[in-house]
Amino acid sequence: MRHVYIIGTGATPVGEHWDRSPASLAIEALTGALGTIPASRIGALYVASALSGALHTQSQMAALIATAAGIPGVEAVTVEAGGASGGVALRQACLAVAAGAVDLAMVVGVEKVTDVLDARREAALALATDVDWEAIHGVTLTAFWALLMRRYMHEYGYTADDFAPFPVNAHANGVANPRAMYRFAITAEKVRSAPMVAEPLGLLDCSTAADGAAAVLIASEGLAHELCATPVRIAGSATATDTLALHSRPDPLWFPAAAYSAAAALRTARLTHSDVQVFDVTDPHGIAAALALESSGFAERGTAVALAREGAITPKGRLPLATGGGCKARGDVVGASGVYQIVELVAQLRGQAGAAQVNGARVALAQCMGGIGATVATHILTLE
Amino acid sequence: MDLAKHWRLRHARYRLEGQRNRLTGEVRFPPAPPLPGETEETWEPYILKGRGRVYSFSVVRQPPEGFEDQPPYLVALVRLDEGPLVTAQLTDCDPDQVAIDMPVEMVTRRLRALGPTGLIVYGYKFRPIVS
């Protein structure tokens, strides 16, 4: 298998883009990722979108975006894996380039969620759960995270206030991300006093679903060094799945798909856990980040919240997390989130992350999750 | 609207009918098709008693479409006495009366209505056991 590199990134600001179509957002991101490279050189296009079908926007997003990019005829595939769509699409692009099928592949994540009212959006998001045995009971994704948070608190002796460092860190980092939806800091006190969304989850420990598109251009080794001065290598790439329904797992507080994909990605990269210097995971709530870090082997079970409280997840800590603002401050772009993660981590490795920069970062891990751990994609990025 | 989709699950939804493995005695809920290599005989229908304890619970205040008339409502993961964990609403109680490990029992209630001309979907919820 050939080595695979990222040679370009692009993204729109995350927010409520009522005046923009999905194609318009996607093309802005794709154009940014191309830079001076003509679109006609793209050998394959992978489009990640979780909700475009469910919200009746459009199916066959890949053909739509290929046409909008002026390259109809190109091989183009739409990838849907809930919140993991972006990472799974990136995985497909890596496989295509590594196998030698194409030399240049474009990954575009695009989500348009603000065209509908809240109840319809909640129902569309809940399609990532098991609809026959979970969603039919009116349980939302947020409510599932709340169920896990309460159980975690019960098992390990935490209070809801102990989770505040996650949104506080996300907002502090979001200030430095020009594309983040919320570019202001919040205090733990403010998190504590926010109204409840789904007990014990309060409003300021809940991400906001928003519109946006992000793109990354993937190249083979030879082309990467020809076209880009600072290519970032995708040294590890893996996806894994699990039961859709949380209640079907032996231990709801452990995500086997996160464990498996993180271990497989590190193994391919020939790196160990201690080599990773900066992280981004699917973190719509603090509990989601905590369980992702623990399942992936970066914190002992029951300790991720304590580590966050001690400052480990800030850019100066041992496990810098959500340096682009995460789902909470960047905004939760659902199927596109996994591509935004890559855009933000490439900026980290190139030393362009401003106040959220992790000093000397050369190895980054991006992990995105569909539903409550039913699909997980993990990628390891390295600067050579 | 969506009639067959709900009708085919009626045994599980109305009387908590899961499955028991004829070889190992393992009980599972919800029922599932046989795995490759298993036959229709591997798992037999098995009605669960409908008693268990709250594993965790929350309150939905921002409902999905179809549940707009219900908030705030209690949702839970319930550990059934036979072993399986099940997702359902809690009913006949207020949030401040619920705690992890509280004993609960199954009741049949209206889950949701599928629009003004659609089906009313019934199924299991759980309530505190009144001793």
Side-chain angles (χ1 to χ4, degrees):
Chain A
M1 300 285 265
R2 305 193 296 175
H3 285 185
V4 174
Y5 293 81
I6 297 166
I7 63 166
T9 66
T12 71
V14 176
E16 295 167 322
H17 293 293
W18 289 309
D19 56 338
R20 306 275 305 267
S21 69
S24 131
L25 294 170
I27 296 309
E28 180 183 335
L30 180 145
T31 304
L34 277 172
T36 57
I37 300 165
S40 57
R41 293 191 68 172
I42 296 172
L45 170 67
Y46 297 88
V47 175
S49 186
L51 301 180
S52 54
L55 295 179
H56 307 283
T57 310
Q58 179 72 60
S59 69
Q60 298 203 80
M61 289 294 282
L64 175 84
I65 289 161
T67 305
I71 47 170
V74 74
E75 175 173 348
V77 182
T78 312
V79 175
E80 186 279 303
S85 302
V88 176
L90 179 62
R91 168 74 175 151
Q92 306 315 306
C94 288
L95 288 173
V97 173
V102 298
D103 285 321
L104 214 53
M106 179 67 80
V107 180
V108 180
V110 56
E111 211 68 80
K112 195 77 181 67
V113 301
T114 64
D115 287 355
V116 300
L117 297 177
D118 291 354
R120 197 153 146 217
R121 184 162 56 244
E122 288 294 339
L125 289 166
L127 291 174
T129 70
D130 187 320
V131 296
D132 283 342
W133 307 107
E134 295 183 323
I136 187 62
H137 298 286
V139 189
T140 58
L141 278 183
T142 303
F144 272 114
W145 288 117
L147 290 169
L148 289 174
M149 180 175 170
R150 190 188 297 277
R151 186 70 199 188
Y152 186 98
M153 289 160 53
H154 173 79
E155 298 225 349
Y156 300 116
Y158 292 106
T159 67
D161 292 348
D162 292 329
F163 291 77
F166 290 99
V168 168
N169 172 61
H171 271 259
N173 294 339
V175 174
N177 180 357
R179 301 186 191 96
M181 185 174 194
Y182 299 127
R183 300 190 64 193
F184 54 85
I186 57 172
T187 61
E189 189 48 48
K190 214 169 167 189
V191 176
R192 219 167 280 148
S193 55
M196 282 293 141
V197 171
E199 286 91 329
L201 275 175
L203 185 66
L204 289 184
D205 194 7
C206 290
S207 65
T208 309
D211 307 333
V216 295
L217 186 59
I218 309 298
S220 59
E221 186 163 15
L223 214 50
H225 291 109
E226 176 195 326
L227 296 174
C228 178
T230 51
V232 168
R233 188 173 161 222
I234 302 181
S237 168
T239 66
T241 55
D242 199 354
T243 62
L244 274 179
L246 185 63
H247 57 228
S248 301
R249 313 222 186 113
D251 180 353
L253 292 174
W254 178 254
F255 297 141
Y260 179 85
S261 71
L266 284 168
R267 194 168 56 240
T268 330
R270 298 176 195 275
L271 294 170
T272 63
H273 285 82
S274 59
D275 292 321
V276 182
Q277 294 157 299
V278 55
F279 298 80
D280 209 88
V281 300
T282 296
D283 54 356
H285 318 283
I287 181 65
L291 293 178
L293 287 176
E294 292 177 13
S295 298
S296 302
F298 292 99
E300 294 290 322
R301 296 196 66 178
T303 67
V305 175
L307 287 170
R309 214 169 40 192
E310 292 157 12
I313 61 169
T314 67
K316 293 194 181 345
R318 181 166 74 74
L319 298 167
L321 196 65
T323 58
C327 290
K328 178 68 193 77
R330 172 226 298 132
D332 187 351
V333 215
V334 200
S337 291
V339 188
Y340 272 92
Q341 290 181 325
I342 302 296
V343 174
E344 292 157 5
L345 290 174
V346 166
Q348 273 289 343
L349 298 182
R350 288 176 173 167
Q352 300 163 347
Q357 182 65 45
V358 174
N359 282 335
R362 299 186 72 83
V363 180
L365 179 144
Q367 183 180 82
C368 56
M369 179 177 287
I372 311 292
T375 308
V376 182
T378 306
H379 286 88
I380 310 286
L381 312 183
T382 61
L383 198 64
E384 292 185 326
Chain B
M1 274 171 77
D2 291 353
L3 237 169
K5 180 178 165 59
H6 296 288
W7 170 81
R8 67 174 174 259
L9 303 176
R10 64 197 180 283
H11 299 309
R13 291 255 179 87
Y14 295 170
R15 61 183 191 215
L16 218 60
E17 185 179 296
Q19 291 167 319
R20 183 166 63 181
N21 189 299
R22 286 181 206 267
L23 290 173
T24 66
E26 181 197 344
V27 173
R28 72 181 180 190
F29 185 90
L35 295 173
E38 294 180 342
T39 71
E40 292 292 339
E41 301 301 306
T42 308
W43 295 85
E44 61 185 355
Y46 181 85
I47 297 172
L48 286 91
K49 289 200 299 290
R51 292 197 163 214
R53 288 174 182 273
V54 171
Y55 174 88
S56 191
F57 65 99
S58 182
V59 182
V60 174
R61 298 176 185 281
Q62 293 184 357
E65 198 171 41
F67 293 83
E68 293 98 330
D69 58 333
Q70 298 190 30
Y73 53 90
L74 275 158
V75 296
L77 287 164
V78 173
R79 178 71 71 190
L80 298 170
D81 288 350
E82 294 89 344
L85 197 61
V86 61
T87 303
Q89 286 192 20
L90 298 179
T91 187
D92 301 1
C93 58
D94 294 323
D96 58 6
Q97 296 172 279
V98 184
I100 286 178
D101 288 334
M102 182 179 81
V104 291
E105 63 185 2
M106 176 216 168
V107 288
T108 300
R109 293 290 162 84
R110 172 183 170 279
L111 298 184
R112 63 167 294 187
L114 297 170
T117 57
L119 193 70
I120 296 176
V121 182
Y122 291 91
Y124 49 84
K125 295 188 182 181
F126 288 82
R127 70 178 175 197
I129 293 179
V130 186
S131 53

